[in-house]
Amino acid sequence: MTAFLLLSAGRGPQECAWALSQLLHRLRGEGVRRGLTIQQVEAVPGDRAGTYRSVLIRISGVDAEAFAASWTGTLCWQAPSPYRSGVGRKNWYVTAQPPESDARPTTFREADVDIVACRTGGPGGQHRNKASTAVRATHRPSGLVVVVDEERQFSLNRRVALDLLRQRIEQGDEAARRAVTTARWRIHDELVRGDPVRVERPTPR
């Protein structure tokens, strides 16, 4: 069983990036004690060494989803600032949420394309008007449709249509990937301070 969790310091001060690193260390320790494997997938470092603005982790093992759920929500690291001695604030907030799933690329296969000969109007001479040299190509999985009548031969229009479908599918996949990335990192602006699901503190020495 595998679960993913995205931890973010949001737009908070540098102490929140520090708090994220402390909470991540605490999460990993608890996960190891439960026999889980915690792997870092992506990370955006903070301004100071060893701190993070955000980290995407993969949690693997029995009850991985339940463990991730126990760390989902607003998290609070309660400790004095390690950077500013005059700051009285001790609560530093981080959010942890399941990330948007990666968009799966579309596998383009010519077998998934319906090719139909058709006639189109416009310039092209008498041959184009009488013969069905134009192509209407439909990619069944995505529903994309293109009509091509650039060439005077059906076979050439067929090839152009397939290339055009492949290009549009690749463009659609790229747009989907960008949308997932945008949604995934939107968590930076969704950090809710207060009412944390967990309050963690440094281990007493």
Side-chain angles (χ1 to χ4, degrees):
M1 185 177 296
T2 300
F4 290 86
L5 205 57
L6 178 62
L7 289 80
S8 171
R11 307 296 180 185
Q14 58 187 348
E15 286 88 353
C16 290
W18 165 73
L20 194 158
S21 66
Q22 302 303 308
L23 287 162
L24 180 60
H25 179 73
R26 184 66 54 84
L27 182 155
R28 281 175 168 157
E30 184 176 321
V32 169
R33 289 192 295 273
R34 294 193 183 190
L36 298 169
T37 300
I38 313 294
Q39 297 173 300
Q40 183 173 302
V41 180
E42 298 176 7
V44 177
D47 294 334
R48 293 179 178 265
T51 67
Y52 299 99
R53 298 309 306 180
S54 59
V55 176
L56 175 64
I57 59 173
R58 179 191 296 111
I59 305 167
S60 305
V62 179
D63 294 331
E65 292 182 355
F67 177 77
S70 72
W71 281 85
T72 297
T74 299
L75 312 175
C76 175
W77 183 255
Q78 196 172 75
S81 168
Y83 310 126
R84 298 178 290 172
S85 59
V87 175
R89 175 181 169 183
K90 294 184 178 181
N91 293 331
W92 312 104
Y93 294 99
V94 170
T95 188
Q97 299 291 338
E100 290 288 329
S101 300
D102 289 329
R104 295 183 177 181
T106 303
T107 301
F108 182 82
R109 300 184 305 172
E110 291 189 13
D112 292 331
V113 180
D114 292 331
I115 301 290
V116 178
C118 60
R119 297 182 183 182
T120 59
Q126 186 176 6
H127 174 73
R128 176 170 293 183
N129 292 331
K130 289 183 177 180
S132 299
T133 58
V135 166
R136 178 185 176 88
T138 303
H139 184 247
R140 292 191 304 275
S142 65
L144 285 173
V145 178
V146 297
V147 176
V148 177
D149 64 348
E150 298 175 3
E151 307 293 340
R152 294 175 62 87
Q153 296 180 22
F154 174 83
S155 60
L156 295 178
N157 281 327
R158 179 181 184 278
R159 176 49 52 193
V160 172
L162 289 171
D163 289 343
L164 186 57
L165 277 177
R166 184 181 289 105
Q167 178 182 354
R168 290 187 179 178
I169 288 171
E170 290 174 353
Q171 291 172 344
D173 284 352
E174 178 59 29
R177 285 191 291 270
R178 287 197 300 269
V180 167
T181 299
T182 299
R184 178 174 291 176
W185 299 111
R186 193 178 295 139
I187 190 174
H188 285 296
D189 299 315
E190 295 176 353
L191 174 56
V192 178
R193 293 171 175 80
D195 194 23
V197 297
R198 278 178 176 262
V199 177
E200 301 286 338
R201 303 173 181 86
T203 302
R205 296 181 178 179

